[in-house]
Amino acid sequence: MPESLSVTDNRTGRTYDLPIENGAVHATAFQQMKLDDEDHGLLLYDPAFLNTASCTSRITFIDGDRGILLYRGYPIEQLAEHSNFLETAYLLIHGELPNAAEYAAWEHEITIHTLVHENVKSFMDGFHHDAHPMGMLLSTVGALSTFYPDATKIYDEEQRRISIYRLIAKMPTLAAFAFRHSRGLPYNYPDNDLSYSGNFLSMMFKMVEPRYQAVPEIEHALDVLFILHADHEQNCSTNAMRAVGSSHPDPYSATAAAIAALYGPLHGGANEAVIRMIERIGSVDKIPEFVAGVKAGKERLMGFGHRVYKNYDPRAKVIKRMADQVLAVTGTSPLLDVARELEKVALEDEYFVSRKLYPNVDFYSGFIYQALGIPVEMFPVLFAIPRAAGWLSQWEESLLDKEQKIARPRQVYLGASSRDFVSMNEREVQRPTIVAAG
Ligand code: CMC
């Protein structure tokens, strides 16, 4: 027997049977619940999408209560241990792990697209020396659309493919150029003999040596971080990618919008905010005062809490272990001790326990980036590089989904009802009441 939901509209006394499909009810089924013919039907009010599925997807699965994250069915812990970022990106985009020939072809395509047009360097040069690299990244990714006008042919599979290669390939180049610009250093061109993460580190840090070879443990750690950040189902930036993509612009423009969404401190900017917060706390003895401030609502404990995870974020578990491994190579950080103690205090505190607030992916990732010599303002950029693979797989899935249309939410209007225009000299002067001091 098909699953259904019976709803009685107590305004009219009528009962409706709504089909349940895949654990969801179509919101449009509520439109038939009307008071009269003039009524547009019942709306579902859900600011911030707390309980609204905006799409069906076959890419990433999260069970927030049990702390499970799967890409195309594969547990994130297994991918972090056995895969590399490019293979994981292939999995996200294509739905299956590649065989050896498919992987070689994919790696080749990404590698040959790492260069950017020379004019991009002129845009970079136009930014102030202290411009935030995330701002530089989002502007230059958006600007890429002007170099590839054919990218607007989004229903041409070949064009989609090449845009995907270009975006995954060029994000590290643009990110490294942004960093080099902020340091006043010459731009390093890609080295196509290096791995994806090895090449990124080379473009970031190569000085005058003929070839930059990253420390293998560091190259590996960065690659694992890229895997962990590659996708996370319908988060704020992915929703931006899908929503902007739904009006059918080229994918460079949609990716720039997704980067803008990721920029905020509540999303991809949180890893930067965590380090600034820990630096501010400074030492273990200041933790009680800081935690008291958080509990009093003065600020948030950055790197804690998640809309979906009500348990330890599985990515944070991998990162915490990796932070220890990386710091064993690069030398320990006193701030990491503060973070560990802060985590311990928070996990034992009733405020955090009762709200199911656990460390998320951003709590420890910054310590690894710092140990790699990457400055804090680059942290969100390091989130954006791998997330491009997730955004693009979600964008393509959305384009090919026959149920999708241009994203256009409804609203519950609470403003003034219709009224006549009043000329300026007839308007009553409304001034804020000034309370006299003293
Ligand atoms: N510190 C202190 N209190 C918190 C925190 C926090 N980090 N996060 C949530 N709360 C409290 C919040 O004040 C509320 O308490 P009350 O019920 O008394 O009003 C309760 O927990 C529920 O919070 P919420 O704001 O309704 O939860 P949300 O799902 O809207 O927010 C979040 C999720 C990630 C924006 C939020 O937890 C937060 O601001 N965390 C800090 C920023 C952060 O680390 N962001 C990275 C997220 S993971 C990477 C990514 O995917 O972007």
Side-chain angles (χ1 to χ4, degrees):
M1 188 179 149
E3 293 184 326
S4 70
L5 173 75
S6 296
V7 180
T8 301
D9 183 342
N10 292 325
R11 300 171 306 173
T12 58
R14 286 170 62 190
T15 297
Y16 303 82
D17 284 327
L18 313 181
I20 298 178
E21 241 179 274
N22 301 316
V25 175
H26 264 269
T28 49
F30 288 80
Q31 272 176 335
Q32 58 186 309
M33 299 174 200
K34 298 178 177 201
L35 288 176
D36 52 44
D37 287 346
E38 305 259 292
D39 187 357
H40 56 60
L42 207 58
L43 285 176
L44 300 179
Y45 177 58
D46 188 6
F49 296 109
L50 287 176
N51 194 36
T52 295
S54 62
C55 62
T56 57
S57 182
R58 293 179 166 75
I59 301 172
T60 292
F61 172 79
I62 302 175
D63 181 333
D65 290 328
R66 293 195 289 153
I68 291 173
L69 169 60
L70 312 175
Y71 291 168
R72 301 283 191 182
Y74 294 102
I76 193 68
E77 297 84 353
Q78 291 184 25
L79 291 167
E81 192 172 344
H82 303 296
S83 185
N84 65 40
F85 170 68
L86 276 190
E87 185 184 50
T88 299
Y90 182 100
L91 171 70
L92 288 169
I93 302 277
H94 291 91
E96 295 296 337
L97 286 166
N99 63 28
E102 287 164 339
Y103 180 76
W106 168 253
E107 188 183 37
H108 173 76
E109 289 292 355
I110 305 289
T111 307
I112 60 167
H113 284 101
T114 48
L115 276 173
V116 291
H117 193 287
E118 283 292 288
N119 283 2
V120 169
K121 293 200 299 196
S122 323
F123 307 148
M124 282 286 173
D125 289 341
F127 289 110
H128 270 289
H129 68 94
D130 58 355
H132 197 290
M134 198 68 165
M136 292 193 251
L137 181 71
L138 87 84
S139 322
T140 46
V141 167
L144 284 185
S145 76
T146 64
F147 293 96
Y148 306 113
D150 281 346
T152 50
K153 295 176 191 157
I154 52 172
Y155 282 107
D156 174 336
E157 190 178 350
E158 189 46 35
Q159 284 304 327
R160 281 205 307 277
R161 216 73 355 243
I162 195 160
S163 294
I164 289 171
Y165 297 144
R166 283 186 178 133
L167 271 158
I168 294 176
K170 293 180 200 307
M171 290 277 289
T173 313
L174 296 173
F177 277 21
F179 168 72
R180 301 287 291 193
H181 173 72
S182 63
R183 293 292 155 104
L185 291 166
Y187 304 118
N188 282 325
Y189 286 100
D191 181 340
N192 286 351
D193 289 332
L194 298 176
S195 72
Y196 189 81
S197 45
N199 171 50
F200 175 63
L201 289 168
S202 162
M203 290 188 292
M204 289 280 290
F205 298 125
K206 187 160 105 67
M207 300 307 276
V208 292
E209 64 274 39
R211 161 156 289 174
Y212 180 88
Q213 283 290 357
V215 176
E217 287 86 351
I218 289 187
E219 186 174 332
H220 174 69
L222 184 62
D223 204 64
V224 174
L225 282 174
F226 281 171
I227 293 173
L228 299 177
H229 286 86
D231 196 49
H232 212 227
E233 56 120 298
Q234 305 313 310
N235 51 82
C236 178
S237 57
T238 302
N239 183 55
M241 182 84 187
R242 281 182 176 257
V244 172
S246 77
S247 76
H248 296 175
D250 64 86
Y252 301 98
S253 304
T255 304
I259 297 172
L262 187 69
Y263 199 167
L266 297 188
H267 191 12
N271 49 17
E272 179 178 351
V274 169
I275 294 292
R276 296 198 191 284
M277 171 188 81
I278 301 280
E279 279 172 351
R280 204 158 31 85
I281 298 171
S283 56
V284 169
D285 58 306
K286 300 275 167 35
I287 290 175
E289 185 190 335
F290 170 79
V291 169
V294 170
K295 287 161 67 175
K298 286 192 192 144
E299 62 181 303
R300 289 204 160 189
L301 170 48
M302 300 310 284
F304 257 67
H306 199 275
R307 172 63 57 78
V308 183
Y309 293 118
K310 300 302 168 198
N311 200 325
Y312 216 109
D313 181 335
R315 302 167 300 172
K317 272 191 195 152
V318 178
I319 291 177
K320 191 178 176 190
R321 261 199 320 272
M322 238 174 43
D324 291 331
Q325 290 161 13
V326 169
L327 287 156
V329 175
T330 60
T332 191
S333 148
L335 289 182
L336 183 60
D337 295 335
V338 178
R340 283 205 199 96
E341 183 59 23
L342 179 56
E343 178 197 343
K344 193 166 157 278
V345 170
L347 290 181
E348 285 167 2
D349 191 296
E350 203 277 328
Y351 175 94
F352 299 92
V353 173
S354 62
R355 290 171 178 77
K356 297 189 176 165
L357 300 171
Y358 290 86
N360 60 46
V361 68
D362 292 314
F363 194 68
Y364 285 109
S365 60
F367 294 98
I368 303 184
Y369 295 142
Q370 250 191 348
L372 306 192
I374 293 168
V376 269
E377 61 278 10
M378 280 294 285
F379 294 180
V381 170
L382 271 105
F383 194 151
I385 293 172
R387 185 53 64 88
W391 290 331
L392 289 162
S393 57
Q394 301 267 353
W395 164 76
E396 191 170 43
E397 183 179 66
S398 173
L399 282 183
L400 301 180
D401 182 345
K402 297 264 182 301
E403 290 190 1
Q404 287 294 341
K405 289 168 179 281
I406 187 165
R408 206 304 182 184
R410 302 299 299 258
Q411 65 167 8
V412 177
Y413 180 68
L414 299 177
S417 49
S418 179
R419 50 186 170 162
D420 290 327
F421 183 81
V422 180
S423 63
M424 197 177 282
N425 55 10
E426 288 172 21
R427 286 175 216 161
E428 217 174 278
V429 182
Q430 290 182 352
R431 294 184 197 284
T433 316
I434 298 167
V435 181

